[in-house]
Amino acid sequence: MGFPKTRMRRLRGSASMRRLVRETTVSVDDLVYPLFVREGEGIKEPIKSMDGCFHFSPDTIVAEAAEVASLGIPAVLLFGLPGEKDEIGSQAWAENGVVQRAIRGIKKETPDLLVVTDVCLCEFTDHGHCGVIKDGKVDNDPTCELLAKMALSHTQAGADIVAPSDMMDGRVKYIREALEENGFENIPIMSYAAKYASAFYGPFRDAAESAPAFGDRRTYQMDACNADEAMAEIALDIEEGADIVMVKPALAYMDIIYRARQRFDCPIAAYNVSGEYMMVKSSAAAGLSDEEATMMEVLTSLKRAGADILITYFAKDAAIQLCNYK
Ligand code: PBG
């Protein structure tokens, strides 16, 4: 035999053959759909910077969440835009805050849908930073106390999982203690453990009206150049009581997802962020690529890298597509 016995193409010959030997599959069970809730009534407004995404009010978000659940998606991730912002972001833990009302509404109508809440002050502070400011700087420990109040308030309203995204040191510990002390020891924390200071958040800042009024987030979010440091961040969060750890953004950080998968045994979430989403959307809108195929390739790649949970603005589209993905 002059030719190698092995021919890799044998197992690629048909769609069924490819399905048979597929190593990675995306399931609707993996998906989390982010939703934005703002103060008001009867609102369903397209978000200009994020094609296909909307701002809802606490009343209209209930039907949207029900639709998400009807597609088989197990969870939504809530972001809030309060009517009023102040220096410390006090609407973040208000009993009748916009997120708290949305949680109650969704849980009442769609109790089986998991409600995950973003725990971060940037959408609630008038300066747009993720913590309280002292002498022009974000002050770590007092911020942790407020984040714990916020997480507790979400949980009291009925949230199933709290997801701190601020990147303060020690916040998982503060939140875990607050939950334990108040009888919520069974509420998981999904920590944005390795969250990078990233230009890929551009469209989201617009959607969440949370751009910092001065400076940037580089004193708390991670430097894109570092990978070992991400392992240290994740290890700390697990030690402090995180149940699920997240890598964010996802696409430009697949090495981090992969390394985390090798090293840690807890579920790993990948956040396919707004800038990554809009790259796919814009390319397709310009007629340069096929949106569905690109979306599925991105999501599959994140799973192949080692992610268990995919947080994506494509969740609804993906849930629909998943039935016919070849
Ligand atoms: C809040 C937060 C951000 C995102 C999620 N939570 C923005 C930021 O850190 O500036 C980004 C999500 C996205 O881009 O899709 N801290």
Side-chain angles (χ1 to χ4, degrees):
M1 271 230 306
F3 200 80
K5 269 189 276 183
T6 307
R7 286 180 185 267
M8 298 303 283
R9 292 182 56 191
R10 278 183 206 129
L11 299 181
R12 294 176 199 151
S14 66
S16 298
M17 189 69 84
R18 291 191 294 275
R19 279 174 55 211
L20 190 68
V21 298
R22 200 157 270 166
E23 297 171 36
T24 307
T25 47
V26 176
S27 153
V28 67
D29 296 343
D30 307 327
L31 302 172
V32 178
Y33 187 54
L35 283 174
F36 298 92
V37 60
R38 74 175 322 147
E39 199 54 69
E41 261 178 55
I43 297 172
K44 184 182 178 185
E45 274 167 16
I47 298 173
K48 284 197 199 70
S49 59
M50 292 172 65
D51 199 14
C53 297
F54 296 84
H55 281 131
F56 294 93
S57 40
D59 54 343
T60 57
I61 204 166
V62 174
E64 176 68 10
E67 190 190 319
V68 173
S70 75
L71 291 168
I73 296 167
V76 291
L77 170 60
L78 288 189
F79 291 96
L81 288 79
E84 281 163 42
K85 305 190 185 211
D86 60 27
E87 226 180 328
I88 59 168
S90 52
Q91 278 300 307
W93 54 89
E95 201 196 326
N96 256 333
V98 71
V99 172
Q100 287 79 355
R101 268 153 44 225
I103 299 168
R104 280 188 226 112
I106 295 171
K107 289 309 290 184
K108 190 164 169 230
E109 284 301 311
T110 323
D112 290 339
L113 179 71
L114 296 173
V115 175
V116 189
T117 56
D118 185 78
V119 175
C120 187
L121 297 179
C122 66
E123 291 120 58
F124 297 86
T125 53
D126 52 15
H127 45 73
H129 273 290
C130 303
V132 289
I133 306 291
K134 193 178 162 202
D135 303 329
K137 294 196 169 119
V138 175
D139 199 4
N140 193 89
D141 303 7
T143 298
C144 289
E145 280 172 31
L146 300 184
L147 292 166
K149 275 171 81 163
M150 182 179 184
L152 180 61
S153 157
H154 288 172
T155 311
Q156 283 165 338
D160 299 287
I161 301 178
V162 289
S165 70
D166 53 285
M167 289 298 280
M168 298 302 129
D169 288 321
R171 90 276 207 216
V172 173
K173 180 166 183 277
Y174 276 75
I175 293 171
R176 177 51 71 212
E177 278 172 9
L179 295 179
E180 291 278 332
E181 281 164 15
N182 288 277
F184 294 112
E185 64 278 359
N186 288 320
I187 294 293
I189 297 175
M190 176 162 78
S191 125
Y192 291 61
K195 177 176 178 181
Y196 287 86
S198 170
F200 285 100
Y201 306 150
F204 176 93
R205 299 262 171 98
D206 210 25
E209 294 165 5
S210 65
F214 63 91
D216 54 38
R217 304 203 200 284
R218 289 175 188 277
T219 69
Y220 39 104
Q221 297 180 349
M222 283 185 58
D223 186 334
C225 307
N226 298 350
D228 293 339
E229 188 189 346
M231 298 306 110
E233 281 281 8
I234 294 171
L236 275 172
D237 282 8
I238 293 172
E239 202 181 293
E240 290 175 24
D243 303 278
I244 300 171
V245 293
M246 195 197 298
V247 176
K248 175 182 174 187
L251 215 40
Y253 297 84
M254 286 214 266
D255 56 324
I256 310 300
I257 297 172
Y258 182 76
R259 282 180 62 168
R261 173 73 298 146
Q262 305 304 304
R263 185 150 160 184
F264 302 104
D265 296 324
C266 66
I268 295 171
Y271 198 139
N272 182 219
V273 300
S274 57
E276 302 173 336
Y277 169 75
M278 283 309 291
M279 284 198 307
V280 175
K281 281 277 188 190
S282 316
S283 175
L288 301 175
S289 52
D290 178 318
E291 182 172 321
E292 267 80 40
T294 315
M295 161 184 87
M296 289 314 302
E297 189 172 330
V298 166
L299 298 178
T300 307
S301 303
L302 296 176
K303 277 212 79 182
R304 196 191 59 232
D308 304 291
I309 297 168
L310 306 172
I311 303 170
T312 173
Y313 305 101
F314 280 122
K316 282 168 68 181
D317 296 342
I320 293 163
Q321 277 300 308
L322 273 169
C323 332
N324 11 347
Y325 183 46
K326 292 288 180 307

